Amino acid sequence: MDDALNGEGFDDEELRGEFSGDGLGDGGPDGGETTALEEELRQAAAVLDPMPPELLQIAVDAYALHDLEARVAELTFDSLVDALPVRGVTDAPRMLTFTAGEVTVDVEVTAEGLLGQLLPPGPADVEVLSGPQPGTPVTVDEMGRFTADRPPSGPFALRLRTGSDVITTEWLRA
């Protein structure tokens, strides 16, 4: 090994010193240099590339939509991932299944809108959440079926209120 390095070897203690206590990963040689640099970079980014007010509002609204009592329905089937392609079908609707305990929500996303069904069927209020806008309520019939006339644009989720339970699906892009 010494021949490959022109006769100069490495001292293990010297190598350990190179990567511990000399400013790599410990806040700099004086302990505060890295934080000062980070602060300068944050200030430069705030001036040169400020956060758009719309993005800040979306973040605030998303947090406001957060419901501490809501259960999150897990995505258990997505036709984009789990289904086998059908020959000759170019614009198949996207099929989604969400599960939260005993409640299952089946949703079909098409260019015309959403079609869905709650199982077991029963009285429920369903809202289609889409970005910072308030949720769009949809009517649920006695069989647990619901429709939305417009397809979601961008990320969407569903919020279901069944009696005292609140269930929110994962956010997905249509």
Side-chain angles (χ1 to χ4, degrees), residues 31-106:
E33 191 172 303
T34 303
T35 36
L37 177 61
E38 287 175 354
E39 185 57 33
E40 286 182 40
L41 290 173
R42 279 190 192 96
Q43 290 175 2
V47 170
L48 298 174
D49 189 20
M51 180 182 297
E54 299 85 22
L55 181 60
L56 180 60
Q57 186 62 45
I58 288 171
V60 169
D61 291 342
Y63 183 76
L65 292 174
H66 178 71
D67 191 348
L68 296 176
E69 299 296 320
R71 291 186 296 160
V72 176
E74 179 184 357
L75 180 65
T76 55
F77 177 81
D78 184 349
S79 62
L80 289 180
V81 177
D82 303 319
L84 296 173
V86 177
R87 185 173 30 168
V89 177
T90 58
D91 193 22
R94 184 174 183 187
M95 307 297 290
L96 305 166
T97 301
F98 299 95
T99 307
E102 299 295 318
V103 177
T104 301
V105 183
D106 290 319

Side-chain angles (χ1 to χ4, degrees), residues 4-172:
L5 299 171
N6 297 328
E8 295 180 21
F10 288 107
D11 180 10
D12 286 343
E13 286 185 34
E14 186 178 316
L15 278 176
R16 277 192 288 270
E18 290 288 323
F19 296 104
S20 63
D22 73 340
L24 294 175
D26 69 344
D30 63 356
E33 191 172 303
T34 303
T35 36
L37 177 61
E38 287 175 354
E39 185 57 33
E40 286 182 40
L41 290 173
R42 279 190 192 96
Q43 290 175 2
V47 170
L48 298 174
D49 189 20
M51 180 182 297
E54 299 85 22
L55 181 60
L56 180 60
Q57 186 62 45
I58 288 171
V60 169
D61 291 342
Y63 183 76
L65 292 174
H66 178 71
D67 191 348
L68 296 176
E69 299 296 320
R71 291 186 296 160
V72 176
E74 179 184 357
L75 180 65
T76 55
F77 177 81
D78 184 349
S79 62
L80 289 180
V81 177
D82 303 319
L84 296 173
V86 177
R87 185 173 30 168
V89 177
T90 58
D91 193 22
R94 184 174 183 187
M95 307 297 290
L96 305 166
T97 301
F98 299 95
T99 307
E102 299 295 318
V103 177
T104 301
V105 183
D106 290 319
V107 180
E108 180 178 321
V109 182
T110 67
E112 289 80 36
L114 297 176
L115 300 170
Q117 183 168 17
L118 303 176
L119 297 171
D125 294 324
V126 175
E127 292 177 88
V128 179
L129 306 175
S130 181
Q133 301 86 358
T136 304
V138 294
T139 305
V140 180
D141 68 12
E142 64 277 352
M143 299 294 291
R145 299 175 295 198
F146 60 91
T147 60
D149 295 338
R150 289 183 293 140
S153 60
F156 76 98
L158 300 175
R159 181 185 298 142
L160 308 122
R161 298 180 196 279
T162 58
S164 62
D165 287 338
V166 177
I167 301 169
T168 304
T169 65
E170 296 180 28
W171 284 83
L172 294 172

